[in-house]
Amino acid sequence: MDTILEMRGITKAFPGVKALDNVSLAVRRGEIHALVGENGAGKSTLMKVLSGVYPAGQYEGDIIFEGETKAFYGIEDSERDGIIIIHQELALVPLLSIAENIFLGNERARGGVIDWEETSRRTAELLARVGLKERPETKVAHLGIGKQQLVEIAKALSKEVRLLILDEPTSSLNESDSDVLLDLLKEFRAAGISSILISHKLNEIAKVADTITVLRDGTSVSTMDCSGGVQEDDVIRDMVGRPLADRYPPRKPKVGDTIFEVRNWTVRHPIDTHRNVVDRASLTLREGEVLGIAGLMGAGRTELAMSLFGRSYGTWVDGEAILRGQKVDLSTVPRAIDAGLAYATEDRKSYGLVLDQSIRRNVPLANLEAIADRGVVDRRRESEVAEDYRQRIRIRSSSIEQPTVNLSGGNQQKVVLSKWLFAGPDILILDEPTRGIDVGAKFEIYTIIRDLAAAGKSLIVISSELPELLGITDRLYVMNRGRIVGELPTADATQEKIMSMIIRSDRKAEGATHG
């Protein structure tokens, strides 16, 4: 297999930090090359150099593509050569159709007028190639995140891609959607298209990668050939610079009496008001317990969590919440916070943080009264609180003045947790708390969860990663189609048992429909 890409001695510096230090990378034609490393290791920076986001002249080193030394001054230059990057945050316009999105900026036109017939025909061909059955005129807003990811890939194919770069493409996908995308990469490999896959999901990388390159602290540490198989422990060791003997911190649970109970909680979809997104859900949570909620994407887990937290999703229809034996009013977010609840969203960038503000400004946000004097924020107290949590939760940053947008995903998640911990909750609902963060940062988040439970806090953890739930929780509920369809102690749980609960509930629902 000949080499399609070489990056030699790439060095990229920002004020006060060297993001890449003499990094080299070689990708063969028609291979899937995985690029892994902790958050902040330099993976995305390296790909931005390659794609021209950081233009030639702003870095040192050489890019050789198809045997020629290249100088890309923007994304248009790299795309012209067939290098297409799909970022973690999808760049689609929700209110435009699939066809309009695929050819946005690359319109099929004659005499300056868009040829809609040709656009629709070509879109249908591309959708068939990525396995989507949607019509070209379907609005992107009506697609799930998995299908939107496939639209992005169809868009890349429309530009005659030769090297496809995917940055965390499955971070928001469930297991079945992830498998569809990974199978598509295998098809591209068979067609001679090369791919660079950035992912924290080592099990997925093991399924498809031909080669793995590990970055750590802005340097290339190792490159592994996967033809004979690769051990995840070896990859983790190179990523974090030490063996990680255990993925999950050891824990001795001290679970007390029931502190929180939800009975027959029912919530309708905010637009499709005849559809229940949470359907008569009941659960209990005990003091010092880590309770997991498992389920496929769309099962209703996030809808349940958000609706409990001040009815911040959908239309509440029925049900009651009991806190320490008394009915509690959770009808608004302030009332939920006053009752001792906190909710760390799955989308930390859109809803968890004010990204252009500093750590100092973000940490106290959920409890401003505690740092205010007569309604005016005390800047000295604000700084003390932010610095206290920066040290206590080990947020890696230059100072509390660093904007949160410049932090790695793991450290952004720590700021979100700090914000809610400062509010002094008794019950924390953590929705996908480790999404998009590396294995080392995950361990630190798991340790925080363990320590909170040991201090008597009660936690509800929602996660799409079943091994994670099996590794950190005491008890599990399984959700499907808005209903809780199973409960079992984590000690008795397996991935197979969880999936069988979901499948049985599907069969039961289909039987009821046909009956």
Side-chain angles (χ1 to χ4, degrees), residues 96-104 106-108 114-140 143 150-155 157-158:
L96 294 184
S97 69
I98 294 173
E100 289 167 325
N101 270 281
I102 286 177
F103 291 103
L104 189 62
N106 185 30
E107 288 78 7
R108 310 289 91 179
I114 292 175
D115 185 337
W116 289 110
E117 186 176 335
E118 168 68 9
T119 299
S120 185
R121 183 191 66 78
R122 182 75 178 116
T123 299
E125 291 175 356
L126 292 166
L127 293 181
R129 192 170 173 190
V130 300
L132 275 179
K133 296 178 181 177
E134 271 66 23
R135 297 170 63 85
E137 61 269 23
T138 301
K139 283 186 167 54
V140 163
L143 304 178
L150 294 177
V151 171
E152 279 277 24
I153 292 175
K155 186 175 180 179
L157 292 174
S158 76

Side-chain angles (χ1 to χ4, degrees), residues 360-361 364 368-369 371-382:
R360 172 174 62 82
R361 299 298 295 275
L368 288 174
E369 289 180 359
I371 60 164
D373 181 18
R374 299 176 192 175
V376 178
V377 169
D378 182 332
R379 300 299 181 197
R380 183 181 60 79
R381 177 73 180 130
E382 181 183 57

Side-chain angles (χ1 to χ4, degrees), residues 300-316:
R301 299 165 303 163
T302 292
E303 291 82 352
L304 172 61
M306 291 182 68
S307 62
L308 286 172
F309 188 64
R311 300 183 189 172
S312 48
Y313 180 89
T315 303
W316 177 81

